[in-house]
Amino acid sequence: MMSFERRFTSASIAALLIGSAVLSPAQACTRLVYLGADNQVITARSMDWARDIGTNLWIFPRGMKRNGEVGPDSLQWTARYGSLIASAYDLATSDGVNETGLVANVLWLAESSYPKFDGSKPGLALSLWAQYVLDSYATVKEAVDALAKEPFVVVTANMPDEERPATVHLSLSDPSGDSAIIEYIDGKQVIHHSRSYQVMTNSPVFDQQLALNAYWQQIGGTVMLPGTNRAADRFARASFYVDAIPKSEKPTEALASVFGVIRNASVPYGITTPDQPNISSTRWRSVVDHKRKLYFFESALTPNVFWVDVTKIDFAAEGAVKKLDLGPGQSNIFAGEVHNQFKPSAPFKFQGLGPK
């Protein structure tokens, strides 16, 4: 595990700023954790993607039997906890919260490089990485302690309809306000674990994101903040505003502030840049109120925010898998609390190394 305790020279910061400017922004997201008054903890994320990511919401009961979807050497487990998740292409878990209030968010990281899968350890398809954590752990600390032992090898595969592998990193947060960022860099697992790690975006790797943010903190957010949709700039804006917003004791006011921050770090729908034709629009946003166990969802193509009260979901082992069909581009319209609008459905098959 790593903590950020390094000193960076002006030259190194400048190099990082220049380097981050040329990284591809084709897939981009932002995640932040708000630590408020009266033990309020709220996690928000944006899903920025170059095309419709085929997201639906799913309820998975506890007790589901799963495998890592990479063949005979796949990791095997049974879900200890039920979860509410947002899918990607109905092939992977990209976002979600389990019944204990643990949240997992998957964001793109082009620099990711995963270990070689040679059968010496069980394999886990990248599509199941977040789901495994939600199925298995109640807190960030419990997850970090277990994952630090590297009980499996993460195995990636090509993106749907693309000739490039998926490369992501994983963030975790829980009702205590604890956070962890997990990356695979040069084939090695790197875990950043601290309550202070409230913000994560995409490139560069997380320790360099912290270095870039340190530069902007020296300038001061009331003086100037970077305004582009590059990952490093979104990190600086989210980091400043998540601490600057008032710590209201009223949950509705705290949620309003957090929605304001994640929208500030979003990319307007349909925006294009001539020399970056694949720049990513924000497709949807999720916000989780850990204390009240509410999962809010906002699509760019609908006028309403709606939410799921996780405490009203029956996660019993004999319960059914259920789906909320969000429609093409997440354009189906919902309003208010919607846990009773999920419909029983066969679970989707997670993408692995075998046939889809």
Side-chain angles (χ1 to χ4, degrees):
M1 289 182 288
M2 295 178 59
S3 62
F4 184 71
E5 298 177 346
R6 304 174 187 169
R7 299 178 67 89
F8 288 84
T9 66
S10 297
S12 64
I13 292 293
L16 286 172
L17 287 167
I18 294 168
S20 69
V22 298
L23 290 165
S24 170
Q27 277 72 37
C29 307
T30 303
R31 168 267 197 187
L32 60 91
V33 180
Y34 165 84
L35 305 175
D38 196 24
N39 297 316
Q40 291 185 82
V41 178
I42 302 173
T43 297
R45 70 87 49 88
S46 64
M47 172 59 78
D48 303 352
W49 207 247
R51 57 193 174 101
D52 180 12
I53 197 169
T55 294
N56 291 296
L57 298 187
W58 293 79
I59 293 171
F60 292 142
R62 68 182 79 97
M64 292 187 73
K65 305 288 185 182
R66 300 197 195 274
N67 75 85
E69 300 293 349
V70 293
D73 296 317
S74 294
L75 183 70
Q76 309 282 332
W77 75 94
T78 300
R80 295 173 59 197
Y81 304 106
S83 58
L84 167 69
I85 69 98
S87 66
Y89 302 106
D90 278 352
L91 292 172
T93 293
S94 64
D95 189 75
V97 58
N98 72 12
E99 58 186 301
T100 72
L102 178 68
V103 167
N105 315 106
V106 172
L107 281 71
W108 193 260
L109 180 66
E111 293 87 347
S112 299
S113 175
Y114 303 99
K116 181 180 179 182
F117 178 48
D118 58 10
S120 60
K121 289 184 179 181
L124 176 70
L126 190 67
S127 63
L128 278 149
W129 192 16
Q131 190 61 53
Y132 172 80
V133 173
L134 294 174
D135 285 350
S136 304
Y137 306 114
T139 66
V140 171
K141 184 180 186 306
E142 183 185 358
V144 166
D145 288 348
L147 296 177
K149 299 175 184 177
E150 300 191 58
F152 54 78
V153 174
V154 171
V155 183
T156 190
N158 280 351
M159 293 293 300
D161 302 321
E162 296 186 44
E163 294 301 319
R164 59 166 178 164
T167 52
V168 300
H169 50 175
L170 176 68
S171 67
L172 306 176
S173 52
D174 67 24
S176 75
D178 198 8
S179 281
I181 312 298
I182 306 171
E183 301 176 333
Y184 283 90
I185 308 299
D186 296 327
K188 304 293 184 181
Q189 179 180 251
V190 180
I191 299 178
H192 305 264
H193 180 204
S194 171
R195 182 181 170 90
S196 66
Y197 296 146
Q198 295 172 251
V199 178
M200 179 176 89
T201 55
N202 312 105
S203 299
V205 297
F206 188 67
D207 60 353
Q208 294 179 14
Q209 290 184 29
L210 294 174
L212 289 166
N213 193 53
Y215 167 84
W216 289 110
Q217 286 177 332
Q218 291 177 6
I219 294 175
T222 58
V223 176
M224 181 176 62
L225 279 172
T228 79
N229 50 22
R230 292 183 300 127
D233 290 2
R234 287 183 282 107
F235 190 106
R237 292 201 305 278
S239 182
F240 171 75
Y241 283 120
V242 77
D243 287 331
I245 55 178
K247 302 298 187 285
S248 174
E249 294 183 359
K250 297 179 180 179
T252 53
E253 293 182 357
L255 281 167
S257 293
V258 172
F259 264 106
V261 177
I262 197 62
R263 288 167 179 156
N264 181 279
S266 297
V267 181
Y269 190 86
I271 193 171
T272 59
T273 303
D275 61 342
Q276 298 171 337
N278 294 322
I279 201 165
S280 295
S281 300
T282 296
R283 302 286 169 172
W284 51 261
R285 289 171 283 267
S286 69
V287 176
V288 180
D289 182 330
H290 290 264
K291 187 173 182 180
R292 295 188 294 164
K293 293 186 178 177
L294 301 177
Y295 182 94
F296 295 84
F297 192 91
E298 179 182 47
S299 169
L301 294 183
T302 62
N304 293 33
V305 175
F306 66 90
W307 64 94
V308 181
D309 187 338
V310 178
T311 67
K312 293 182 178 179
I313 298 173
D314 181 4
F315 287 113
E318 64 273 13
V321 172
K322 294 183 178 181
K323 173 184 177 181
L324 188 68
D325 186 347
L326 300 184
Q330 301 78 62
S331 59
N332 289 349
I333 297 174
F334 300 93
E337 203 284 319
V338 299
H339 85 280
N340 58 0
Q341 296 186 47
F342 284 69
K343 306 298 183 184
S345 177
F348 65 82
K349 180 175 175 57
F350 284 88
Q351 183 181 24
L353 296 185
K356 299 179 184 176

